Each structure stands twice: as structure tokens, then as C-alpha cells.
Amino acid sequence: MHEASQNDQVQHEVTLNERGPFVAPRCSCGWYGPARRSRPLARDEAAAHTATARSA
């Protein structure tokens, strides 16, 4: 029987948290990115995290 890895069990739900003029991505798995003034950059970092987590 296949035993699920920890990564298979974790749902990756990323949110962008506003902090004044900054946006910081945070994931339900505990990952977080640096606060950025550039919202598109914060979204791209969050998308990269989600893609990496799914492929691992």
C-alpha cells in the first residue's frame, strides 16, 4: 500500500496580506515570502511556491 507523503497531505492555500504599502504572501503550509511593494512580484513568488510544492 502506498503511504502518502507529508507534502501530499498539505493543502497550499496562498493569501496576500496587505501591510500598509506592502503585500506579503503567506501559505497555509507555513511558508511566507518577503513583504513587497510590487503586488505582481508577490503574486509571482506565491505562484512559484505553489508550483514547487505541487511538483515536489
Side-chain angles (χ1 to χ4, degrees):
M1 180 176 205
H2 177 259
E3 188 172 320
S5 70
Q6 182 180 10
N7 200 34
D8 292 339
Q9 298 172 2
V10 175
Q11 293 292 326
H12 293 274
E13 296 179 25
V14 179
T15 58
L16 297 177
N17 299 313
E18 301 276 338
R19 296 181 188 166
F22 297 95
V23 175
R26 294 190 69 83
C27 183
S28 59
C29 74
W31 173 87
Y32 61 92
R36 305 275 188 192
R37 285 187 186 264
S38 170
R39 283 165 178 73
L41 183 56
R43 281 193 299 267
D44 290 348
E45 289 175 342
H49 163 71
T50 303
T52 302
R54 287 185 182 152
S55 67

